[in-house]
mmCIF file with all atom_site columns, all heavy atoms in Angstrom:
data_model
loop_
_atom_site.group_PDB
_atom_site.id
_atom_site.type_symbol
_atom_site.label_atom_id
_atom_site.label_alt_id
_atom_site.label_comp_id
_atom_site.label_asym_id
_atom_site.label_entity_id
_atom_site.label_seq_id
_atom_site.pdbx_PDB_ins_code
_atom_site.Cartn_x
_atom_site.Cartn_y
_atom_site.Cartn_z
_atom_site.occupancy
_atom_site.B_iso_or_equiv
_atom_site.pdbx_formal_charge
_atom_site.auth_seq_id
_atom_site.auth_comp_id
_atom_site.auth_asym_id
_atom_site.auth_atom_id
_atom_site.pdbx_PDB_model_num
ATOM 1  N N   . ASN A 1 49 ? -24.903 68.245 185.818 1.00 98.00 ? 1106 ASN A N   1
ATOM 2  C CA  . ASN A 1 49 ? -23.959 68.777 184.828 1.00 98.00 ? 1106 ASN A CA  1
ATOM 3  C C   . ASN A 1 49 ? -22.618 68.062 184.967 1.00 98.00 ? 1106 ASN A C   1
ATOM 4  O O   . ASN A 1 49 ? -22.453 67.175 185.821 1.00 98.00 ? 1106 ASN A O   1
ATOM 5  C CB  . ASN A 1 49 ? -23.793 70.298 184.991 1.00 98.00 ? 1106 ASN A CB  1
ATOM 6  C CG  . ASN A 1 49 ? -23.360 70.670 186.394 1.00 98.00 ? 1106 ASN A CG  1
ATOM 7  O OD1 . ASN A 1 49 ? -22.471 70.035 186.963 1.00 98.00 ? 1106 ASN A OD1 1
ATOM 8  N ND2 . ASN A 1 49 ? -23.991 71.678 186.974 1.00 98.00 ? 1106 ASN A ND2 1
ATOM 9  N N   . LEU A 1 50 ? -21.651 68.451 184.135 1.00 98.00 ? 1107 LEU A N   1
ATOM 10 C CA  . LEU A 1 50 ? -20.343 67.778 184.118 1.00 98.00 ? 1107 LEU A CA  1
ATOM 11 C C   . LEU A 1 50 ? -19.651 67.873 185.474 1.00 98.00 ? 1107 LEU A C   1
ATOM 12 O O   . LEU A 1 50 ? -19.067 66.894 185.956 1.00 98.00 ? 1107 LEU A O   1
ATOM 13 C CB  . LEU A 1 50 ? -19.466 68.394 183.025 1.00 98.00 ? 1107 LEU A CB  1
ATOM 14 C CG  . LEU A 1 50 ? -18.040 67.860 182.925 1.00 98.00 ? 1107 LEU A CG  1
ATOM 15 C CD1 . LEU A 1 50 ? -18.022 66.379 182.548 1.00 98.00 ? 1107 LEU A CD1 1
ATOM 16 C CD2 . LEU A 1 50 ? -17.228 68.670 181.915 1.00 98.00 ? 1107 LEU A CD2 1
ATOM 17 N N   . THR A 1 51 ? -19.703 69.048 186.098 1.00 98.00 ? 1108 THR A N   1
ATOM 18 C CA  . THR A 1 51 ? -19.013 69.215 187.379 1.00 98.00 ? 1108 THR A CA  1
ATOM 19 C C   . THR A 1 51 ? -19.604 68.289 188.441 1.00 98.00 ? 1108 THR A C   1
ATOM 20 O O   . THR A 1 51 ? -18.863 67.651 189.210 1.00 98.00 ? 1108 THR A O   1
ATOM 21 C CB  . THR A 1 51 ? -19.101 70.688 187.830 1.00 98.00 ? 1108 THR A CB  1
ATOM 22 O OG1 . THR A 1 51 ? -18.461 71.493 186.841 1.00 98.00 ? 1108 THR A OG1 1
ATOM 23 C CG2 . THR A 1 51 ? -18.404 70.894 189.171 1.00 98.00 ? 1108 THR A CG2 1
ATOM 24 N N   . SER A 1 52 ? -20.913 68.189 188.474 1.00 98.00 ? 1109 SER A N   1
ATOM 25 C CA  . SER A 1 52 ? -21.563 67.283 189.423 1.00 98.00 ? 1109 SER A CA  1
ATOM 26 C C   . SER A 1 52 ? -21.157 65.832 189.144 1.00 98.00 ? 1109 SER A C   1
ATOM 27 O O   . SER A 1 52 ? -20.847 65.066 190.071 1.00 98.00 ? 1109 SER A O   1
ATOM 28 C CB  . SER A 1 52 ? -23.082 67.435 189.312 1.00 98.00 ? 1109 SER A CB  1
ATOM 29 O OG  . SER A 1 52 ? -23.733 66.457 190.073 1.00 98.00 ? 1109 SER A OG  1
ATOM 30 N N   . LEU A 1 53 ? -21.117 65.465 187.868 1.00 98.00 ? 1110 LEU A N   1
ATOM 31 C CA  . LEU A 1 53 ? -20.774 64.081 187.511 1.00 98.00 ? 1110 LEU A CA  1
ATOM 32 C C   . LEU A 1 53 ? -19.344 63.739 187.921 1.00 98.00 ? 1110 LEU A C   1
ATOM 33 O O   . LEU A 1 53 ? -19.104 62.710 188.564 1.00 98.00 ? 1110 LEU A O   1
ATOM 34 C CB  . LEU A 1 53 ? -20.967 63.872 186.006 1.00 98.00 ? 1110 LEU A CB  1
ATOM 35 C CG  . LEU A 1 53 ? -20.538 62.508 185.464 1.00 98.00 ? 1110 LEU A CG  1
ATOM 36 C CD1 . LEU A 1 53 ? -21.324 61.372 186.113 1.00 98.00 ? 1110 LEU A CD1 1
ATOM 37 C CD2 . LEU A 1 53 ? -20.694 62.468 183.945 1.00 98.00 ? 1110 LEU A CD2 1
ATOM 38 N N   . VAL A 1 54 ? -18.377 64.583 187.572 1.00 98.00 ? 1111 VAL A N   1
ATOM 39 C CA  . VAL A 1 54 ? -16.985 64.237 187.879 1.00 98.00 ? 1111 VAL A CA  1
ATOM 40 C C   . VAL A 1 54 ? -16.738 64.276 189.382 1.00 98.00 ? 1111 VAL A C   1
ATOM 41 O O   . VAL A 1 54 ? -15.870 63.573 189.900 1.00 98.00 ? 1111 VAL A O   1
ATOM 42 C CB  . VAL A 1 54 ? -15.974 65.133 187.134 1.00 98.00 ? 1111 VAL A CB  1
ATOM 43 C CG1 . VAL A 1 54 ? -16.139 64.995 185.641 1.00 98.00 ? 1111 VAL A CG1 1
ATOM 44 C CG2 . VAL A 1 54 ? -16.057 66.576 187.551 1.00 98.00 ? 1111 VAL A CG2 1
ATOM 45 N N   . THR A 1 55 ? -17.502 65.099 190.108 1.00 98.00 ? 1112 THR A N   1
ATOM 46 C CA  . THR A 1 55 ? -17.344 65.178 191.561 1.00 98.00 ? 1112 THR A CA  1
ATOM 47 C C   . THR A 1 55 ? -17.869 63.908 192.232 1.00 98.00 ? 1112 THR A C   1
ATOM 48 O O   . THR A 1 55 ? -17.216 63.363 193.132 1.00 98.00 ? 1112 THR A O   1
ATOM 49 C CB  . THR A 1 55 ? -18.106 66.399 192.106 1.00 98.00 ? 1112 THR A CB  1
ATOM 50 O OG1 . THR A 1 55 ? -17.572 67.576 191.508 1.00 98.00 ? 1112 THR A OG1 1
ATOM 51 C CG2 . THR A 1 55 ? -17.989 66.482 193.622 1.00 98.00 ? 1112 THR A CG2 1
ATOM 52 N N   . HIS A 1 56 ? -19.014 63.433 191.775 1.00 98.00 ? 1113 HIS A N   1
ATOM 53 C CA  . HIS A 1 56 ? -19.673 62.323 192.469 1.00 98.00 ? 1113 HIS A CA  1
ATOM 54 C C   . HIS A 1 56 ? -19.354 60.956 191.874 1.00 98.00 ? 1113 HIS A C   1
ATOM 55 O O   . HIS A 1 56 ? -19.454 59.940 192.571 1.00 98.00 ? 1113 HIS A O   1
ATOM 56 C CB  . HIS A 1 56 ? -21.193 62.543 192.483 1.00 98.00 ? 1113 HIS A CB  1
ATOM 57 C CG  . HIS A 1 56 ? -21.608 63.733 193.268 1.00 98.00 ? 1113 HIS A CG  1
ATOM 58 N ND1 . HIS A 1 56 ? -22.013 64.912 192.680 1.00 98.00 ? 1113 HIS A ND1 1
ATOM 59 C CD2 . HIS A 1 56 ? -21.638 63.949 194.607 1.00 98.00 ? 1113 HIS A CD2 1
ATOM 60 C CE1 . HIS A 1 56 ? -22.292 65.793 193.632 1.00 98.00 ? 1113 HIS A CE1 1
ATOM 61 N NE2 . HIS A 1 56 ? -22.066 65.244 194.797 1.00 98.00 ? 1113 HIS A NE2 1
ATOM 62 N N   . ASN A 1 57 ? -18.996 60.910 190.585 1.00 98.00 ? 1114 ASN A N   1
ATOM 63 C CA  . ASN A 1 57 ? -18.794 59.613 189.942 1.00 98.00 ? 1114 ASN A CA  1
ATOM 64 C C   . ASN A 1 57 ? -17.824 59.745 188.761 1.00 98.00 ? 1114 ASN A C   1
ATOM 65 O O   . ASN A 1 57 ? -18.229 59.659 187.598 1.00 98.00 ? 1114 ASN A O   1
ATOM 66 C CB  . ASN A 1 57 ? -20.148 59.038 189.486 1.00 98.00 ? 1114 ASN A CB  1
ATOM 67 C CG  . ASN A 1 57 ? -20.070 57.555 189.194 1.00 98.00 ? 1114 ASN A CG  1
ATOM 68 O OD1 . ASN A 1 57 ? -18.994 57.025 188.931 1.00 98.00 ? 1114 ASN A OD1 1
ATOM 69 N ND2 . ASN A 1 57 ? -21.208 56.888 189.209 1.00 98.00 ? 1114 ASN A ND2 1
ATOM 70 N N   . PRO A 1 58 ? -16.539 59.962 189.056 1.00 98.00 ? 1115 PRO A N   1
ATOM 71 C CA  . PRO A 1 58 ? -15.575 60.166 187.954 1.00 98.00 ? 1115 PRO A CA  1
ATOM 72 C C   . PRO A 1 58 ? -15.454 58.954 187.028 1.00 98.00 ? 1115 PRO A C   1
ATOM 73 O O   . PRO A 1 58 ? -15.184 59.121 185.838 1.00 98.00 ? 1115 PRO A O   1
ATOM 74 C CB  . PRO A 1 58 ? -14.260 60.474 188.674 1.00 98.00 ? 1115 PRO A CB  1
ATOM 75 C CG  . PRO A 1 58 ? -14.461 60.021 190.083 1.00 98.00 ? 1115 PRO A CG  1
ATOM 76 C CD  . PRO A 1 58 ? -15.917 60.127 190.369 1.00 98.00 ? 1115 PRO A CD  1
#
Side-chain angles (χ1 to χ4, degrees):
N1106 56 44
L1107 177 64
T1108 299
S1109 172
L1110 175 61
V1111 299
T1112 300
H1113 295 105
N1114 197 338

